[in-house]
Amino acid sequence: VIRAVRCMYESKHSGPAPPVQPFTLNMNWNSLSPYDALCVTHVLSCCPVSELEMSCCSIGNKGAELLVKHYPNKNTTGQLLEELDLSHNGLTSEGMEHVMKIVRTSSAALRVLNVSGNPISDDGMALISEALKHNTSLTLLGVGGENKKCHI
């Protein structure tokens, strides 16, 4: 989190500090409101976040909607998100519909997606399947209740 704060500060103020290297933003186990998830998109837009870990954050479907709606297609550093963990967030098929927009439209960078531990119905799984038809970069998908992973 400190790297994210530093990066956001540097995006507003030019300074002599060297650029921040790509990093993992670990938000796991923080109780976040949907609007906190929206704030994360600001970090993604101006910082070189390569991995976003938001497991067990309780963002729900609304948080997923806001995260995706404001998800930057391109950030100011040129770094694209490579790994996204939204496991155990209470995402249903409605939430999967939003998350799959990232899978369908990401600029061939997202390699790992973990949505395990969410109550995903057959409809949600169909959304995942359809999104995968449009993505050539995803190599690891976590689905199911026991952090089961599927190599693609």
Side-chain angles (χ1 to χ4, degrees):
V1 174
I2 295 301
R3 283 186 182 175
V5 171
R6 176 179 168 221
C7 182
M8 290 187 334
Y9 175 82
E10 288 175 0
S11 73
K12 299 283 184 200
H13 308 12
S14 60
V20 176
Q21 296 300 310
F23 63 95
T24 298
L25 181 56
N26 185 336
M27 303 297 292
N28 292 340
W29 292 96
N30 285 288
S31 182
L32 303 176
S33 75
Y35 295 98
D36 293 331
L38 176 61
C39 292
V40 170
T41 63
H42 179 67
V43 175
L44 294 176
S45 70
C46 64
C47 299
V49 177
S50 59
E51 300 175 28
L52 176 57
E53 297 178 1
M54 292 181 67
S55 180
C56 302
C57 291
S58 304
I59 64 168
N61 294 331
K62 184 64 176 177
E65 176 186 3
L66 293 171
L67 184 68
V68 172
K69 182 177 180 181
H70 299 280
Y71 178 79
N73 291 327
K74 181 179 172 185
N75 73 16
T76 57
T77 68
Q79 176 66 44
L80 297 171
L81 194 62
E82 297 173 12
E83 298 187 22
L84 176 59
D85 184 351
L86 293 174
S87 60
H88 303 280
N89 271 293
L91 304 179
T92 64
S93 295
E94 178 187 345
M96 283 303 106
E97 186 173 350
H98 300 299
V99 174
M100 290 307 110
K101 289 176 185 173
I102 292 176
V103 173
R104 283 192 304 270
T105 61
S106 71
S107 301
L110 193 63
R111 296 179 297 104
V112 177
L113 175 64
N114 187 358
V115 291
S116 64
N118 288 298
I120 304 169
S121 67
D122 289 344
D123 290 341
M125 292 304 290
L127 291 166
I128 292 170
S129 177
E130 184 61 32
L132 291 175
K133 294 177 185 176
H134 304 281
N135 184 296
T136 58
S137 63
L138 201 65
T139 58
L140 187 62
L141 174 64
V143 293
E146 299 297 321
N147 283 328
K148 295 176 184 164
K149 293 187 171 50
C150 174
H151 290 276
I152 301 169

mmCIF file of all heavy atoms in Angstrom, residues 13-53:
data_model
loop_
_atom_site.group_PDB
_atom_site.id
_atom_site.type_symbol
_atom_site.label_atom_id
_atom_site.label_comp_id
_atom_site.label_asym_id
_atom_site.label_seq_id
_atom_site.Cartn_x
_atom_site.Cartn_y
_atom_site.Cartn_z
ATOM 1 N N HIS A 13 3.119 15.131 -8.358
ATOM 2 C CA HIS A 13 4.266 16.018 -8.149
ATOM 3 C C HIS A 13 5.486 15.388 -8.803
ATOM 4 O O HIS A 13 5.807 14.251 -8.519
ATOM 5 C CB HIS A 13 4.569 16.183 -6.671
ATOM 6 C CG HIS A 13 3.413 16.596 -5.810
ATOM 7 N ND1 HIS A 13 2.114 16.591 -6.222
ATOM 8 C CD2 HIS A 13 3.371 17.025 -4.529
ATOM 9 C CE1 HIS A 13 1.333 17.011 -5.233
ATOM 10 N NE2 HIS A 13 2.062 17.260 -4.206
ATOM 11 N N SER A 14 6.118 16.146 -9.628
ATOM 12 C CA SER A 14 7.354 15.600 -10.197
ATOM 13 C C SER A 14 8.448 15.737 -9.153
ATOM 14 O O SER A 14 8.543 16.740 -8.461
ATOM 15 C CB SER A 14 7.725 16.320 -11.486
ATOM 16 O OG SER A 14 7.907 17.697 -11.222
ATOM 17 N N GLY A 15 9.245 14.722 -9.027
ATOM 18 C CA GLY A 15 10.285 14.746 -8.008
ATOM 19 C C GLY A 15 11.474 13.933 -8.451
ATOM 20 O O GLY A 15 11.432 13.221 -9.445
ATOM 21 N N PRO A 16 12.551 14.004 -7.697
ATOM 22 C CA PRO A 16 13.773 13.308 -8.066
ATOM 23 C C PRO A 16 13.758 11.807 -7.801
ATOM 24 O O PRO A 16 14.669 11.108 -8.186
ATOM 25 C CB PRO A 16 14.832 13.994 -7.194
ATOM 26 C CG PRO A 16 14.066 14.435 -5.990
ATOM 27 C CD PRO A 16 12.698 14.797 -6.491
ATOM 28 N N ALA A 17 12.709 11.313 -7.155
ATOM 29 C CA ALA A 17 12.675 9.896 -6.813
ATOM 30 C C ALA A 17 12.601 9.039 -8.082
ATOM 31 O O ALA A 17 11.958 9.421 -9.046
ATOM 32 C CB ALA A 17 11.467 9.604 -5.925
ATOM 33 N N PRO A 18 13.288 7.888 -8.095
ATOM 34 C CA PRO A 18 13.228 7.009 -9.267
ATOM 35 C C PRO A 18 11.814 6.456 -9.434
ATOM 36 O O PRO A 18 11.049 6.394 -8.476
ATOM 37 C CB PRO A 18 14.221 5.900 -8.931
ATOM 38 C CG PRO A 18 14.332 5.915 -7.456
ATOM 39 C CD PRO A 18 14.086 7.338 -7.021
ATOM 40 N N PRO A 19 11.457 6.044 -10.647
ATOM 41 C CA PRO A 19 10.112 5.508 -10.862
ATOM 42 C C PRO A 19 9.881 4.241 -10.051
ATOM 43 O O PRO A 19 10.805 3.482 -9.790
ATOM 44 C CB PRO A 19 10.067 5.224 -12.357
ATOM 45 C CG PRO A 19 11.468 5.313 -12.844
ATOM 46 C CD PRO A 19 12.277 6.041 -11.831
ATOM 47 N N VAL A 20 8.663 4.045 -9.661
ATOM 48 C CA VAL A 20 8.283 2.858 -8.902
ATOM 49 C C VAL A 20 8.232 1.671 -9.854
ATOM 50 O O VAL A 20 7.669 1.752 -10.945
ATOM 51 C CB VAL A 20 6.908 3.060 -8.237
ATOM 52 C CG1 VAL A 20 6.451 1.808 -7.519
ATOM 53 C CG2 VAL A 20 6.960 4.241 -7.279
ATOM 54 N N GLN A 21 8.836 0.569 -9.457
ATOM 55 C CA GLN A 21 8.820 -0.655 -10.258
ATOM 56 C C GLN A 21 7.437 -1.310 -10.139
ATOM 57 O O GLN A 21 6.734 -1.101 -9.156
ATOM 58 C CB GLN A 21 9.904 -1.612 -9.761
ATOM 59 C CG GLN A 21 11.312 -1.080 -9.941
ATOM 60 C CD GLN A 21 11.626 -0.810 -11.408
ATOM 61 O OE1 GLN A 21 11.418 -1.652 -12.268
ATOM 62 N NE2 GLN A 21 12.117 0.386 -11.692
ATOM 63 N N PRO A 22 7.047 -2.130 -11.119
ATOM 64 C CA PRO A 22 5.768 -2.831 -11.008
ATOM 65 C C PRO A 22 5.675 -3.583 -9.682
ATOM 66 O O PRO A 22 6.655 -4.158 -9.219
ATOM 67 C CB PRO A 22 5.798 -3.801 -12.197
ATOM 68 C CG PRO A 22 6.689 -3.137 -13.190
ATOM 69 C CD PRO A 22 7.743 -2.443 -12.365
ATOM 70 N N PHE A 23 4.499 -3.543 -9.077
ATOM 71 C CA PHE A 23 4.340 -4.160 -7.766
ATOM 72 C C PHE A 23 2.967 -4.802 -7.616
ATOM 73 O O PHE A 23 2.068 -4.586 -8.421
ATOM 74 C CB PHE A 23 4.573 -3.132 -6.648
ATOM 75 C CG PHE A 23 3.586 -1.985 -6.631
ATOM 76 C CD1 PHE A 23 2.462 -2.028 -5.820
ATOM 77 C CD2 PHE A 23 3.804 -0.859 -7.406
ATOM 78 C CE1 PHE A 23 1.562 -0.980 -5.800
ATOM 79 C CE2 PHE A 23 2.917 0.202 -7.378
ATOM 80 C CZ PHE A 23 1.786 0.141 -6.578
ATOM 81 N N THR A 24 2.847 -5.601 -6.555
ATOM 82 C CA THR A 24 1.590 -6.240 -6.182
ATOM 83 C C THR A 24 0.889 -5.352 -5.165
ATOM 84 O O THR A 24 1.494 -4.964 -4.162
ATOM 85 C CB THR A 24 1.853 -7.622 -5.546
ATOM 86 O OG1 THR A 24 2.493 -8.450 -6.512
ATOM 87 C CG2 THR A 24 0.567 -8.270 -5.073
ATOM 88 N N LEU A 25 -0.356 -5.015 -5.436
ATOM 89 C CA LEU A 25 -1.165 -4.278 -4.476
ATOM 90 C C LEU A 25 -2.018 -5.302 -3.734
ATOM 91 O O LEU A 25 -2.935 -5.886 -4.296
ATOM 92 C CB LEU A 25 -2.041 -3.243 -5.182
ATOM 93 C CG LEU A 25 -2.934 -2.385 -4.292
ATOM 94 C CD1 LEU A 25 -2.116 -1.648 -3.227
ATOM 95 C CD2 LEU A 25 -3.743 -1.412 -5.127
ATOM 96 N N ASN A 26 -1.665 -5.562 -2.480
ATOM 97 C CA ASN A 26 -2.322 -6.577 -1.679
ATOM 98 C C ASN A 26 -3.337 -5.919 -0.748
ATOM 99 O O ASN A 26 -2.966 -5.280 0.224
ATOM 100 C CB ASN A 26 -1.290 -7.362 -0.869
ATOM 101 C CG ASN A 26 -1.913 -8.509 -0.113
ATOM 102 O OD1 ASN A 26 -3.096 -8.512 0.193
ATOM 103 N ND2 ASN A 26 -1.104 -9.505 0.206
ATOM 104 N N MET A 27 -4.603 -6.097 -1.081
ATOM 105 C CA MET A 27 -5.698 -5.561 -0.268
ATOM 106 C C MET A 27 -6.444 -6.687 0.457
ATOM 107 O O MET A 27 -7.482 -6.444 1.066
ATOM 108 C CB MET A 27 -6.678 -4.792 -1.166
ATOM 109 C CG MET A 27 -6.063 -3.665 -1.970
ATOM 110 S SD MET A 27 -5.388 -2.343 -0.960
ATOM 111 C CE MET A 27 -6.871 -1.657 -0.270
ATOM 112 N N ASN A 28 -5.914 -7.915 0.377
ATOM 113 C CA ASN A 28 -6.587 -9.081 0.951
ATOM 114 C C ASN A 28 -7.007 -8.845 2.396
ATOM 115 O O ASN A 28 -6.286 -8.234 3.175
ATOM 116 C CB ASN A 28 -5.676 -10.309 0.907
ATOM 117 C CG ASN A 28 -5.427 -10.800 -0.498
ATOM 118 O OD1 ASN A 28 -6.175 -10.495 -1.412
ATOM 119 N ND2 ASN A 28 -4.364 -11.568 -0.669
ATOM 120 N N TRP A 29 -8.182 -9.349 2.720
ATOM 121 C CA TRP A 29 -8.727 -9.360 4.079
ATOM 122 C C TRP A 29 -9.026 -7.971 4.630
ATOM 123 O O TRP A 29 -9.142 -7.795 5.834
ATOM 124 C CB TRP A 29 -7.825 -10.138 5.040
ATOM 125 C CG TRP A 29 -7.828 -11.592 4.726
ATOM 126 C CD1 TRP A 29 -6.906 -12.264 3.966
ATOM 127 C CD2 TRP A 29 -8.808 -12.548 5.095
ATOM 128 N NE1 TRP A 29 -7.256 -13.585 3.855
ATOM 129 C CE2 TRP A 29 -8.431 -13.793 4.540
ATOM 130 C CE3 TRP A 29 -9.980 -12.484 5.835
ATOM 131 C CZ2 TRP A 29 -9.167 -14.950 4.712
ATOM 132 C CZ3 TRP A 29 -10.708 -13.640 6.004
ATOM 133 C CH2 TRP A 29 -10.299 -14.854 5.453
ATOM 134 N N ASN A 30 -9.139 -6.990 3.768
ATOM 135 C CA ASN A 30 -9.591 -5.671 4.189
ATOM 136 C C ASN A 30 -11.064 -5.554 3.842
ATOM 137 O O ASN A 30 -11.459 -5.846 2.725
ATOM 138 C CB ASN A 30 -8.811 -4.559 3.465
ATOM 139 C CG ASN A 30 -7.421 -4.409 4.004
ATOM 140 O OD1 ASN A 30 -7.223 -3.922 5.096
ATOM 141 N ND2 ASN A 30 -6.439 -4.859 3.228
ATOM 142 N N SER A 31 -11.865 -5.148 4.791
ATOM 143 C CA SER A 31 -13.281 -4.982 4.522
ATOM 144 C C SER A 31 -13.456 -3.688 3.741
ATOM 145 O O SER A 31 -13.286 -2.596 4.283
ATOM 146 C CB SER A 31 -14.059 -4.931 5.839
ATOM 147 O OG SER A 31 -15.438 -4.811 5.572
ATOM 148 N N LEU A 32 -13.758 -3.821 2.454
ATOM 149 C CA LEU A 32 -13.853 -2.662 1.581
ATOM 150 C C LEU A 32 -15.295 -2.453 1.128
ATOM 151 O O LEU A 32 -15.988 -3.405 0.800
ATOM 152 C CB LEU A 32 -12.972 -2.852 0.338
ATOM 153 C CG LEU A 32 -11.490 -3.110 0.569
ATOM 154 C CD1 LEU A 32 -10.789 -3.371 -0.760
ATOM 155 C CD2 LEU A 32 -10.845 -1.944 1.290
ATOM 156 N N SER A 33 -15.694 -1.204 1.079
ATOM 157 C CA SER A 33 -17.011 -0.895 0.517
ATOM 158 C C SER A 33 -16.884 -0.907 -1.001
ATOM 159 O O SER A 33 -15.775 -0.852 -1.545
ATOM 160 C CB SER A 33 -17.468 0.485 0.996
ATOM 161 O OG SER A 33 -16.759 1.507 0.314
ATOM 162 N N PRO A 34 -18.008 -0.943 -1.696
ATOM 163 C CA PRO A 34 -17.924 -0.846 -3.151
ATOM 164 C C PRO A 34 -17.178 0.413 -3.610
ATOM 165 O O PRO A 34 -16.458 0.392 -4.606
ATOM 166 C CB PRO A 34 -19.384 -0.809 -3.589
ATOM 167 C CG PRO A 34 -20.112 -1.557 -2.517
ATOM 168 C CD PRO A 34 -19.373 -1.192 -1.248
ATOM 169 N N TYR A 35 -17.322 1.483 -2.873
ATOM 170 C CA TYR A 35 -16.664 2.728 -3.269
ATOM 171 C C TYR A 35 -15.166 2.712 -2.952
ATOM 172 O O TYR A 35 -14.398 3.408 -3.596
ATOM 173 C CB TYR A 35 -17.398 3.927 -2.664
ATOM 174 C CG TYR A 35 -18.786 3.981 -3.264
ATOM 175 C CD1 TYR A 35 -19.878 3.464 -2.586
ATOM 176 C CD2 TYR A 35 -18.978 4.463 -4.557
ATOM 177 C CE1 TYR A 35 -21.132 3.450 -3.162
ATOM 178 C CE2 TYR A 35 -20.230 4.451 -5.142
ATOM 179 C CZ TYR A 35 -21.298 3.951 -4.442
ATOM 180 O OH TYR A 35 -22.533 3.928 -5.025
ATOM 181 N N ASP A 36 -14.756 1.883 -1.988
ATOM 182 C CA ASP A 36 -13.326 1.665 -1.777
ATOM 183 C C ASP A 36 -12.733 0.965 -2.998
ATOM 184 O O ASP A 36 -11.622 1.267 -3.429
ATOM 185 C CB ASP A 36 -13.069 0.810 -0.527
ATOM 186 C CG ASP A 36 -13.452 1.515 0.763
ATOM 187 O OD1 ASP A 36 -13.398 2.751 0.817
ATOM 188 O OD2 ASP A 36 -13.819 0.804 1.721
ATOM 189 N N ALA A 37 -13.500 0.026 -3.571
ATOM 190 C CA ALA A 37 -13.057 -0.653 -4.787
ATOM 191 C C ALA A 37 -12.872 0.355 -5.914
ATOM 192 O O ALA A 37 -11.942 0.252 -6.715
ATOM 193 C CB ALA A 37 -14.055 -1.738 -5.190
ATOM 194 N N LEU A 38 -13.737 1.344 -5.960
ATOM 195 C CA LEU A 38 -13.612 2.407 -6.954
ATOM 196 C C LEU A 38 -12.301 3.173 -6.766
ATOM 197 O O LEU A 38 -11.614 3.498 -7.739
ATOM 198 C CB LEU A 38 -14.805 3.364 -6.854
ATOM 199 C CG LEU A 38 -14.804 4.588 -7.743
ATOM 200 C CD1 LEU A 38 -14.792 4.193 -9.205
ATOM 201 C CD2 LEU A 38 -16.021 5.452 -7.433
ATOM 202 N N CYS A 39 -11.906 3.421 -5.532
ATOM 203 C CA CYS A 39 -10.643 4.124 -5.252
ATOM 204 C C CYS A 39 -9.447 3.321 -5.764
ATOM 205 O O CYS A 39 -8.451 3.899 -6.193
ATOM 206 C CB CYS A 39 -10.496 4.385 -3.759
ATOM 207 S SG CYS A 39 -11.681 5.573 -3.125
ATOM 208 N N VAL A 40 -9.550 2.004 -5.733
ATOM 209 C CA VAL A 40 -8.471 1.153 -6.222
ATOM 210 C C VAL A 40 -8.211 1.435 -7.703
ATOM 211 O O VAL A 40 -7.075 1.392 -8.166
ATOM 212 C CB VAL A 40 -8.785 -0.338 -5.972
ATOM 213 C CG1 VAL A 40 -7.810 -1.245 -6.683
ATOM 214 C CG2 VAL A 40 -8.779 -0.626 -4.463
ATOM 215 N N THR A 41 -9.262 1.745 -8.452
ATOM 216 C CA THR A 41 -9.070 2.016 -9.882
ATOM 217 C C THR A 41 -8.193 3.241 -10.106
ATOM 218 O O THR A 41 -7.489 3.314 -11.106
ATOM 219 C CB THR A 41 -10.407 2.195 -10.636
ATOM 220 O OG1 THR A 41 -11.090 3.336 -10.127
ATOM 221 C CG2 THR A 41 -11.259 0.956 -10.518
ATOM 222 N N HIS A 42 -8.227 4.186 -9.179
ATOM 223 C CA HIS A 42 -7.347 5.348 -9.307
ATOM 224 C C HIS A 42 -5.886 4.919 -9.183
ATOM 225 O O HIS A 42 -5.035 5.372 -9.935
ATOM 226 C CB HIS A 42 -7.673 6.422 -8.274
ATOM 227 C CG HIS A 42 -6.765 7.602 -8.369
ATOM 228 N ND1 HIS A 42 -6.763 8.459 -9.445
ATOM 229 C CD2 HIS A 42 -5.784 8.040 -7.552
ATOM 230 C CE1 HIS A 42 -5.840 9.386 -9.283
ATOM 231 N NE2 HIS A 42 -5.230 9.154 -8.137
ATOM 232 N N VAL A 43 -5.614 4.023 -8.256
ATOM 233 C CA VAL A 43 -4.255 3.502 -8.100
ATOM 234 C C VAL A 43 -3.839 2.781 -9.384
ATOM 235 O O VAL A 43 -2.728 2.975 -9.889
ATOM 236 C CB VAL A 43 -4.153 2.545 -6.890
ATOM 237 C CG1 VAL A 43 -2.769 1.917 -6.811
ATOM 238 C CG2 VAL A 43 -4.486 3.271 -5.592
ATOM 239 N N LEU A 44 -4.753 1.983 -9.941
ATOM 240 C CA LEU A 44 -4.439 1.254 -11.175
ATOM 241 C C LEU A 44 -4.168 2.191 -12.347
ATOM 242 O O LEU A 44 -3.396 1.869 -13.240
ATOM 243 C CB LEU A 44 -5.582 0.307 -11.545
ATOM 244 C CG LEU A 44 -5.845 -0.850 -10.594
ATOM 245 C CD1 LEU A 44 -7.070 -1.631 -11.044
ATOM 246 C CD2 LEU A 44 -4.640 -1.752 -10.465
ATOM 247 N N SER A 45 -4.793 3.357 -12.332
ATOM 248 C CA SER A 45 -4.634 4.272 -13.465
ATOM 249 C C SER A 45 -3.309 5.018 -13.453
ATOM 250 O O SER A 45 -2.846 5.452 -14.500
ATOM 251 C CB SER A 45 -5.795 5.272 -13.517
ATOM 252 O OG SER A 45 -5.711 6.184 -12.445
ATOM 253 N N CYS A 46 -2.692 5.152 -12.292
ATOM 254 C CA CYS A 46 -1.464 5.953 -12.245
ATOM 255 C C CYS A 46 -0.253 5.230 -11.679
ATOM 256 O O CYS A 46 0.834 5.805 -11.629
ATOM 257 C CB CYS A 46 -1.706 7.245 -11.471
ATOM 258 S SG CYS A 46 -2.100 7.010 -9.740
ATOM 259 N N CYS A 47 -0.411 3.971 -11.283
ATOM 260 C CA CYS A 47 0.695 3.227 -10.689
ATOM 261 C C CYS A 47 0.928 1.917 -11.435
ATOM 262 O O CYS A 47 -0.009 1.328 -11.960
ATOM 263 C CB CYS A 47 0.394 2.916 -9.225
ATOM 264 S SG CYS A 47 0.183 4.382 -8.210
ATOM 265 N N PRO A 48 2.175 1.448 -11.444
ATOM 266 C CA PRO A 48 2.490 0.209 -12.166
ATOM 267 C C PRO A 48 2.131 -1.049 -11.377
ATOM 268 O O PRO A 48 2.996 -1.809 -10.955
ATOM 269 C CB PRO A 48 3.992 0.321 -12.400
ATOM 270 C CG PRO A 48 4.485 1.085 -11.212
ATOM 271 C CD PRO A 48 3.386 2.083 -10.909
ATOM 272 N N VAL A 49 0.843 -1.266 -11.169
ATOM 273 C CA VAL A 49 0.379 -2.442 -10.443
ATOM 274 C C VAL A 49 0.313 -3.613 -11.418
ATOM 275 O O VAL A 49 -0.408 -3.555 -12.407
ATOM 276 C CB VAL A 49 -1.009 -2.201 -9.805
ATOM 277 C CG1 VAL A 49 -1.516 -3.460 -9.116
ATOM 278 C CG2 VAL A 49 -0.946 -1.037 -8.829
ATOM 279 N N SER A 50 1.075 -4.661 -11.144
ATOM 280 C CA SER A 50 1.050 -5.845 -12.005
ATOM 281 C C SER A 50 0.111 -6.910 -11.451
ATOM 282 O O SER A 50 -0.427 -7.715 -12.203
ATOM 283 C CB SER A 50 2.453 -6.419 -12.174
ATOM 284 O OG SER A 50 2.998 -6.778 -10.922
ATOM 285 N N GLU A 51 -0.076 -6.913 -10.125
ATOM 286 C CA GLU A 51 -0.950 -7.885 -9.480
ATOM 287 C C GLU A 51 -1.846 -7.161 -8.480
ATOM 288 O O GLU A 51 -1.354 -6.407 -7.647
ATOM 289 C CB GLU A 51 -0.146 -8.947 -8.740
ATOM 290 C CG GLU A 51 0.788 -9.748 -9.625
ATOM 291 C CD GLU A 51 1.662 -10.709 -8.829
ATOM 292 O OE1 GLU A 51 1.237 -11.155 -7.743
ATOM 293 O OE2 GLU A 51 2.765 -11.010 -9.304
ATOM 294 N N LEU A 52 -3.149 -7.405 -8.595
ATOM 295 C CA LEU A 52 -4.111 -6.834 -7.658
ATOM 296 C C LEU A 52 -4.757 -7.968 -6.888
ATOM 297 O O LEU A 52 -5.437 -8.813 -7.464
ATOM 298 C CB LEU A 52 -5.174 -6.022 -8.407
ATOM 299 C CG LEU A 52 -6.299 -5.435 -7.547
ATOM 300 C CD1 LEU A 52 -5.741 -4.529 -6.445
ATOM 301 C CD2 LEU A 52 -7.293 -4.688 -8.422
ATOM 302 N N GLU A 53 -4.508 -8.007 -5.581
ATOM 303 C CA GLU A 53 -5.052 -9.040 -4.708
ATOM 304 C C GLU A 53 -6.132 -8.422 -3.826
ATOM 305 O O GLU A 53 -5.833 -7.591 -2.967
ATOM 306 C CB GLU A 53 -3.942 -9.651 -3.860
ATOM 307 C CG GLU A 53 -2.882 -10.350 -4.693
ATOM 308 C CD GLU A 53 -1.751 -10.927 -3.866
ATOM 309 O OE1 GLU A 53 -1.783 -10.803 -2.618
ATOM 310 O OE2 GLU A 53 -0.838 -11.514 -4.469
#
